[in-house]
Amino acid sequence: MRFGVLALAVALLGFGLAAATDKPDHWWQPGEGRTFPAKLEYENEGGTLRLLLEGGPMETKGHPFFEPIGPNGRACVTCHQPANAMSLAVPDVQRQWTRNGAKDPLFAAVDGSNCPSLPQGDRASHSLLLDHGLIRIARPWPVKGADFAIEVVRDPSTCNLDPVWGIKSKNPHISVFRRPRPVANFKFIEAMGFAYDPKAGMPLALDPETNKPVAGNLMADGRVPTLTAQMRDAAATHLAFTRNLDAGDIARILDFERRLFVAQQRDSSGTMLDADGAEGGPMKLLVSAPGRLGSQGTPVWSEFEAWEKLPEAEKAKLPKEVREFRDSVARGARVFRDKTFLITDSAGINSPVGFGNPVRNSCVFCHNMSYMGMDVAPGQVDLGTTNLPFADPQPYLPLFRVTCKGKPHPHYGRVIYTHDPGYALTTGKCADVGRITLQTLRGLSARAPYFSNGSAKDLRGVIDYYDRRYSIGYTEQEKRDLVNLMRAL
Amino acid sequence: MKALVLLFALVAADAREAVRFVACPVYRDTDAGKKSGCWLAEDPASGVRYDITSSPTKADWNHAVLVEGFVAQGQSDPCGGVVLDPVRVSVLEQGCTRHMLPAEGFPGRKFALPKRNVRPLYEERTKPAQPFAARTFVIPFDHGSSFVTYQLSDYYLDAAINYALDVQPATVTITGHAATRRERVSGFDLSEPRALAKARADAMARAFQLRGVTVARVATGRESSSADEAFDGLIAPSLRRVEISIEPKQ
């Protein structure tokens, strides 16, 4: 009997290993030439992530999103991994370090280390990427016409005071550290619901290359307006490509990015997120129209409404864990939409747009686009995640002192302490310090940590931050429901 | 002189009780859903507390506000103040000590989408019938500001741009105005700089350019009032505007 159990265990182990070896590693190495299938799934803590490539499979051999074109061996896929919902998750970063150390292209000195001048073989030189999933973004300084001065108060990365890379070098830059944004679901991210940006009091900005309007939901600091400009920017900086992307490369990357839809498909409780009338998962994104305002059409996260309406007799047939999870997600969607709180002193919301300071609203005030939770009225907002006194302690990040030269900031006054001036590094406006572009809420389970600077290590951290920042007073149940909703997206 | 005559004529024509003062606003935290909080402000001269919630621009509890409105007739008191409607609120630079009142039994107002709201791009738009007429659109502004007010200025701006797009080719002329005459309100000097008229006109020209419409001429006009519907009969706010004339080339 004992032998029988052992034999079975060995057989199962053998099967498991065989299955594991049949499956390619979930980390996509640049240039390995796999086929990107029409449907791809990866397990994560929350369940299963699904990626759908509209139009069918695609060969990645020779494809400019997947091929390294520069000396550092990186490709776009290096920081936009399918298993991480086309972003980058800390456990995978650490796995790559364990496997390859500083030789892995991910840890390229230019931005995969805290500063290129540090000894690259040391783990400590890559601590911001390894421990927080943060990539170095170097922004030129001063910005033309800036109405504020900036000083470095503290810089554990060493890069802002570095004689070659720092703010006082011959080629002065400010280094901030941000999470890679997910490269998928662009039908929604690029969508224009209205012709105006109420945060700017103007029609949408124009793409200087095409003279056509663009949505403002792309880059964290709005430094470039389009995917085309973003890929050129990334190729020249993060990827250190030895040649410029040509029109053909750009068209192929755009084609891939715009066909790709990503969302959580199955929850670890055992329920499919599109079961019994629910509409979770990426297929809903693929077939739905983008840029619709939830308050004037399909309410945000009503994908899970069917679970509320399921007859009790039907619910009773479900396993307890599934039933409880579904109820929680449906409640979480309602809390997201309906639980109001006072939003205060947040530039981009309370100023200059005229909504009032404070204004009572819920999460959907900003996360208002049906199916995605992006902002239909694009632009950047300051939630305080990078600005004191609201930001949580982040002693590993740089701290800057911003002094407004003209009008004081509408909420912080003349002097602002910030880890990342955000949009102000693009506009040069003191009123924009700490304003960051809203993120997509899809595929969250696959890509912790959260917020532009990774300051929330998990989904509970996101809810706890908002609860503190806006004194919302969520109950423990509401917090659990919101976390369950977010892990189902 | 002509402007002054028009101003007097408008005052005479409107018998409603006009109110205009500067004060620190108070937020009353009523909760009847999204955007249901109340804004109150007390006229320092009369000591009357007014409900200024219906203004398109809401107040900021860190800053003083210029209040301009009419006392509403026959309205209930959902916020704890004499209701001003129509009313305009301009957020001033002067700082205030923030203050919030609890609901204290006042229900507030359930938010309703104002009539002056820009419609989404995906919604079908009815285009004007030919022959196209020459039209003038008026864009209102808050005191001291060239920012396009949400659900007021953007509504009229959108209408103007859409008309220009529909009837083009057209000649578009933009004229900015500012309230430049010196006046004291609640002890504050509220005159606007002449340059603001140009800044407003330039902002509108930029908006037209962003929507793909070429502007033939940008100019500034003298201080003058307007009876346009955008001001709901309020005279002082009408001094702060941009006029956009669209002449079809038929």
Side-chain angles (χ1 to χ4, degrees):
Chain A
M1 182 65 186
R2 209 177 269 172
F3 175 77
V5 171
L6 190 64
L8 180 63
V10 168
L12 284 173
L13 184 65
F15 176 77
L17 285 173
T21 49
D22 284 350
K23 234 177 162 181
D25 190 75
H26 74 255
W27 182 268
W28 286 60
Q29 293 287 357
E32 63 180 287
R34 286 188 223 180
T35 300
F36 201 102
K39 185 173 87 175
L40 189 53
E41 292 192 339
Y42 289 106
E43 300 302 310
N44 55 49
E45 261 186 35
T48 307
L49 180 83
R50 181 176 286 178
L51 301 96
L52 294 178
L53 190 60
E54 190 178 17
M58 186 188 82
E59 294 304 324
T60 67
K61 191 170 180 56
H63 192 287
F65 188 91
F66 296 87
E67 288 290 340
I69 306 177
N72 68 16
R74 276 187 181 173
C76 307
V77 74
T78 305
C79 292
H80 300 285
Q81 287 283 322
N84 299 164
M86 302 307 286
S87 175
L88 201 53
V90 163
D92 275 331
V93 173
Q94 293 176 348
R95 188 165 167 262
Q96 288 307 104
W97 179 264
T98 306
R99 284 172 158 186
N100 306 322
K103 291 198 300 285
D104 193 291
L106 177 60
F107 300 103
V110 62
D111 59 5
S113 73
N114 300 354
C115 194
S117 57
L118 292 169
Q120 293 298 303
D122 294 353
R123 186 194 189 281
S125 302
H126 306 273
S127 61
L128 289 169
L129 177 54
L130 278 161
D131 299 333
H132 307 283
L134 298 171
I135 292 284
R136 188 175 74 91
I137 310 288
R139 299 302 321 275
W141 185 258
V143 178
K144 194 179 172 191
D147 68 359
F148 63 90
I150 191 161
E151 302 160 81
V152 180
V153 176
R154 177 189 80 209
D155 189 18
S157 80
T158 73
C159 223
N160 284 295
L161 298 171
D162 189 272
V164 176
W165 303 90
I167 197 169
K168 290 186 176 161
S169 67
K170 276 186 190 164
N171 185 21
H173 279 76
I174 288 172
S175 286
V176 291
F177 295 85
R178 298 185 190 142
R179 300 277 294 121
R181 292 167 77 90
V183 171
N185 303 327
F186 277 119
K187 182 168 76 173
F188 294 86
I189 296 171
E190 293 183 292
M192 285 166 278
F194 290 84
Y196 300 86
D197 169 6
K199 299 176 185 75
M202 275 282 131
L204 298 175
L206 297 180
D207 172 8
E209 291 186 44
T210 63
N211 221 28
K212 289 184 176 165
V214 287
N217 278 333
L218 203 58
M219 305 285 284
D221 54 16
R223 65 184 180 275
V224 291
T226 62
L227 280 174
T228 304
Q230 185 275 332
M231 66 181 79
R232 284 203 190 105
D233 179 74
T237 56
H238 306 302
L239 300 169
F241 280 0
T242 45
R243 66 170 175 81
N244 291 331
L245 294 169
D246 62 27
D249 294 329
I250 288 171
R252 292 178 76 190
I253 296 174
L254 282 177
D255 169 69
F256 169 66
E257 291 180 338
R258 288 178 174 155
R259 285 199 287 137
L260 191 59
F261 294 88
V262 176
Q264 199 77 345
Q265 176 64 36
R266 188 190 62 84
D267 185 75
S268 55
S269 67
T271 196
M272 293 296 279
L273 295 164
D274 55 1
D276 289 326
E279 296 179 304
M283 182 52 80
K284 186 70 186 173
L285 299 175
L286 193 150
V287 300
S288 298
R292 305 298 203 254
L293 198 57
S295 62
Q296 294 180 17
T298 307
V300 175
W301 311 139
S302 56
E303 285 90 329
F304 304 105
E305 218 167 68
W307 286 345
E308 290 176 272
K309 294 174 182 164
L310 201 65
E312 286 303 318
E314 291 299 311
K315 278 191 190 178
K317 293 177 192 166
L318 297 167
K320 183 169 178 277
E321 192 186 0
V322 170
R323 197 170 62 236
E324 286 179 352
F325 176 76
R326 288 183 178 186
D327 286 345
S328 177
V329 168
R331 280 195 306 268
R334 289 209 174 273
V335 171
F336 193 95
R337 285 195 301 267
D338 300 337
K339 171 98 176 185
T340 63
F341 49 90
L342 290 183
I343 301 170
T344 56
D345 297 320
S346 297
I349 304 173
N350 304 108
S351 69
V353 71
F355 288 129
N357 183 27
V359 58
R360 179 170 282 286
N361 222 298
S362 69
C363 302
V364 292
F365 194 36
C366 296
H367 297 281
N368 50 48
M369 192 191 295
S370 304
Y371 316 117
M372 271 295 274
M374 299 292 295
D375 192 352
V376 173
Q380 291 68 31
V381 298
D382 166 36
L383 301 172
T385 51
T386 67
N387 289 346
L388 303 189
F390 303 115
D392 290 336
Q394 291 155 82
Y396 44 87
L397 286 180
L399 183 66
F400 304 99
R401 178 169 41 237
V402 167
T403 305
C404 306
K405 293 177 187 167
K407 276 187 185 178
H409 186 282
H411 307 297
Y412 294 103
R414 193 163 293 282
V415 177
I416 309 164
Y417 287 87
T418 182
H419 299 303
D420 182 351
Y423 190 43
L425 291 175
T426 300
T427 64
K429 288 183 183 166
C430 167
D432 294 333
V433 171
R435 286 177 68 174
I436 305 278
T437 307
L438 246 74
Q439 275 273 17
T440 160
L441 297 185
R442 288 295 188 163
L444 288 166
S445 287
R447 56 181 175 92
Y450 308 106
F451 292 133
S452 67
N453 58 3
S455 56
K457 70 177 180 3
D458 52 26
L459 292 172
R460 176 61 185 245
V462 173
I463 304 303
D464 285 341
Y465 176 78
Y466 279 115
D467 196 42
R468 287 192 296 273
R469 168 64 184 87
Y470 294 115
S471 304
I472 298 172
Y474 285 132
T475 64
E476 191 54 35
Q477 179 70 64
E478 286 171 333
K479 287 184 180 184
R480 280 199 298 270
D481 293 342
L482 282 166
V483 166
N484 283 334
L485 167 73
M486 290 164 79
R487 94 178 195 194
L489 299 177
Chain B
M1 186 61 190
K2 198 190 279 180
L4 209 58
V5 170
L6 177 59
L7 195 65
F8 284 132
L10 286 166
V11 171
D14 202 323
R16 290 179 289 180
E17 186 188 345
V19 172
R20 193 163 189 243
F21 64 91
V22 174
C24 284
V26 171
Y27 184 75
R28 186 187 287 286
D29 189 19
T30 55
D31 185 2
K34 294 164 192 170
K35 299 186 188 177
S36 62
C38 294
W39 282 105
L40 304 166
E42 189 172 303
D43 182 351
S46 66
V48 175
R49 175 179 274 179
Y50 290 100
D51 171 359
I52 58 171
T53 314
S54 67
S55 170
T57 298
K58 308 301 179 196
D60 180 335
W61 60 5
N62 294 322
H63 292 275
V65 287
L66 167 65
V67 175
E68 298 160 308
F70 285 121
V71 173
Q73 301 300 312
Q75 283 213 18
S76 59
D77 178 13
C79 291
V82 176
V83 178
L84 295 182
D85 192 10
V87 60
R88 299 289 187 271
V89 164
S90 301
V91 178
L92 306 178
E93 282 183 35
Q94 286 84 358
C96 281
T97 301
R98 62 169 62 180
H99 185 50
M100 181 165 76
L101 294 171
E104 294 176 317
F106 290 99
R109 292 182 188 83
K110 204 169 168 55
F111 175 74
L113 191 65
K115 284 180 185 162
R116 291 160 169 157
N117 70 89
V118 172
R119 302 310 302 159
L121 288 166
Y122 52 82
E123 212 172 78
E124 197 73 33
R125 186 159 55 80
T126 310
K127 295 188 176 178
Q130 295 199 36
F132 301 129
R135 284 187 65 183
T136 298
F137 294 83
V138 173
I139 318 298
F141 288 89
D142 292 343
H143 173 83
S145 171
S146 59
F147 192 85
V148 172
T149 308
Y150 182 64
Q151 291 181 345
L152 178 65
S153 313
D154 61 354
Y155 172 77
Y156 290 108
L157 173 61
D158 189 47
I161 293 175
N162 286 340
Y163 192 70
L165 288 169
D166 287 342
V167 308
Q168 68 179 335
T171 303
V172 178
T173 306
I174 294 178
T175 310
H177 297 262
T180 52
R181 199 152 19 103
R182 190 156 183 226
E183 59 176 338
R184 301 284 290 176
V185 179
S186 307
F188 289 87
D189 178 1
L190 287 183
S191 59
E192 292 184 326
R194 190 167 294 277
L196 193 53
K198 182 166 185 329
R200 286 172 178 154
D202 287 345
M204 295 303 91
R206 171 78 182 138
F208 270 67
Q209 182 201 338
L210 285 167
R211 294 284 309 273
V213 180
T214 304
V215 175
R217 184 166 173 264
V218 180
T220 53
R222 293 175 62 114
E223 176 173 293
S224 60
S225 59
S226 164
D228 191 86
E229 61 164 31
F231 302 105
D232 297 319
L234 293 160
I235 296 158
S238 77
L239 303 176
R240 311 183 298 256
R241 71 184 187 281
V242 164
E243 289 186 3
I244 300 169
S245 300
I246 299 171
E247 184 83 40
K249 289 179 184 169
Q250 288 172 334

